[in-house]
Amino acid sequence: MKNAPKLFAYAALIAALVLGFVVTAHAQDRTLVNVSYDPTRELYREFDDAFIKHWQETTGETIAVQVTHGGSGAQARTVIDGLEADVVTLALESDINAISDANPTLIPADWRGSFANNNAPYTSTIVFLVRKGNPKGLKDWGDLVKDGVEVITPNPKTSGGARWNLLAAWAWAKAQPGGSDETAQAFVTDLYKHVPVLDTGARGSTTTFVQRGIGDVLLAWENEAYLALEELGPDAFDIVTPSVSILAEPPVALVVGNAEKKGNTDLAKAYLDYLYSDEGQAIAAANYYRPFKPEAAKPEDIARFGKVNLVTIADFGGWREAQPRFFGDGGVFDQIYTGAPAQ
């Protein structure tokens, strides 16, 4: 197989799926726990090495960082259920809201705004990853419901990236001539009829598309799509930017209750602050995230990001409105995928 060596390399990269923790450092005075979502594995591997070095140089203390990865919604649930995270770096605001709503002593209700840019040190968007040459000619959202097209996307019940995917598709459909909530729901219903498997997280869907060879197009975080090109080369896949996508703002938050209990408040706050430092911003850009401060990144890392017509979560009323409407029990996703009646 032409791309076999590269596929095996990529398989090694995603083998971390079976591991609960990625641990950086061996001997330490303290350990910080970061609960994150699927596609940040490479980002935090590099960032943690830099932060550990920075912390030791500035304080003399040797620390370790443990990071867990998975579907963003499922990751939020692990914190609610007792995983003692010091910080969370999740895919969307509603997952951090879920932790705060379940236990405000862990994360206060006013957490948004405790760090710059509404707690989003980097952003991303949703693009299409297609097989080399784009054999199905997939240029925009409407092409994804053509006969014979298989679409790979994760389960919105467990994956933050999947929720961004659905909302981006909805926004495109509603923007079409004569578009309405009714036509958008009809389009998204049709779209999910083309999805052969729902993985729990974004990295699992990447595995399905890249390794297992299932599907014609992967609805992907922009950073995940670029990572696939880096690992497999441009001779394996192409990236297609649709006419409409969504501004994905993965937020971060201090898990105050856990950090205070463990004596890690200073360490946890410094960890999140360092994401906004010039080095942290450069690392985010190098890992294909759009940094909050693009001037801190290498120009060539910024140049690869194309201009995209983006809607925002505010166009859906914010996450407090969008989460129950689209992804809550009996919401839009339940209606289109399981046939649940409208609430």
Side-chain angles (χ1 to χ4, degrees):
M1 186 169 61
K2 180 180 178 181
N3 289 309
K6 292 179 178 178
L7 284 169
F8 285 125
Y10 196 71
L13 181 147
I14 61 178
L17 279 168
V18 300
L19 300 177
F21 285 94
V22 176
V23 183
T24 306
H26 299 287
Q28 66 277 332
D29 298 315
R30 285 191 287 174
T31 297
L32 178 140
V33 177
N34 172 11
V35 171
S36 197
Y37 66 106
D38 254 343
T40 62
R41 299 167 190 272
E42 295 73 31
L43 166 64
Y44 281 108
R45 185 178 299 122
E46 183 176 351
F47 175 79
D48 290 348
D49 285 343
F51 178 73
I52 287 167
K53 179 180 179 183
H54 163 78
W55 187 259
Q56 186 168 16
E57 288 176 347
T58 55
T59 70
E61 183 181 20
T62 302
I63 61 165
V65 178
Q66 294 179 336
V67 188
T68 71
H69 299 275
S72 187
Q75 288 292 84
R77 173 53 57 183
T78 66
V79 178
I80 294 169
D81 290 344
L83 178 59
E84 293 191 341
D86 297 290
V87 301
V88 288
T89 57
L90 295 176
L92 34 78
E93 176 185 343
S94 62
D95 290 328
I96 300 181
N97 285 340
I99 299 171
S100 178
D101 292 347
N103 187 349
T105 64
L106 289 179
I107 299 177
D110 61 353
W111 66 271
R112 194 80 179 195
S114 55
F115 292 89
N117 199 36
N118 283 324
N119 290 58
Y122 42 78
T123 64
S124 191
T125 190
I126 302 303
V127 298
F128 303 164
L129 187 68
V130 298
R131 304 198 184 280
K132 185 63 183 176
N134 195 6
K136 294 292 180 75
L138 308 176
K139 299 297 185 182
D140 211 346
W141 292 98
D143 298 325
L144 306 189
V145 296
K146 291 179 178 177
D147 289 345
V149 174
E150 286 191 335
V151 179
I152 303 301
T153 182
N155 188 339
K157 290 291 191 176
T158 54
S159 166
R163 279 171 264 180
W164 291 118
N165 292 348
L166 188 153
L167 294 179
W170 184 283
W172 174 86
K174 193 171 179 179
Q176 300 312 295
S180 65
D181 285 340
E182 290 72 25
T183 62
Q185 183 155 336
F187 172 74
V188 174
T189 299
D190 194 8
L191 178 65
Y192 275 91
K193 292 177 181 177
H194 290 255
V195 178
V197 58
L198 286 176
D199 293 290
T200 59
R203 184 56 61 86
S205 284
T206 303
T207 304
T208 294
F209 184 73
V210 170
Q211 278 196 281
R212 298 173 63 196
I214 297 174
D216 302 295
V217 55
L218 172 70
L219 305 186
W221 290 94
E222 182 180 51
N223 54 281
E224 189 81 342
Y226 274 111
L227 180 65
L229 289 189
E230 175 189 303
E231 294 300 320
L232 294 173
D235 58 334
F237 299 102
D238 291 322
I239 294 174
V240 174
T241 301
S243 63
V244 174
S245 194
I246 193 164
L247 176 66
E249 300 174 284
V252 302
L254 179 67
V255 187
V256 176
N258 288 339
E260 287 182 350
K261 180 173 66 175
K262 295 158 67 176
N264 277 352
T265 302
D266 61 331
L267 178 61
K269 185 177 185 306
Y271 181 83
L272 296 183
D273 281 336
Y274 203 63
L275 285 168
Y276 292 90
S277 71
D278 285 354
E279 183 170 15
Q281 291 287 285
I283 290 171
N287 283 275
Y288 310 110
Y289 292 85
R290 297 179 181 231
F292 167 55
K293 297 190 298 184
E295 67 275 10
K298 294 179 179 178
E300 59 268 29
D301 288 342
I302 299 300
R304 62 188 166 213
F305 297 127
K307 292 185 178 180
V308 190
N309 181 20
L310 297 174
V311 298
T312 72
I313 193 61
D315 295 310
F316 295 88
W319 276 112
R320 285 291 185 188
E321 183 176 324
Q323 175 63 30
R325 177 188 174 194
F326 287 93
F327 310 112
D329 291 342
V332 167
F333 179 72
D334 282 353
Q335 294 166 36
I336 67 177
Y337 199 76
T338 65
Q343 297 294 300

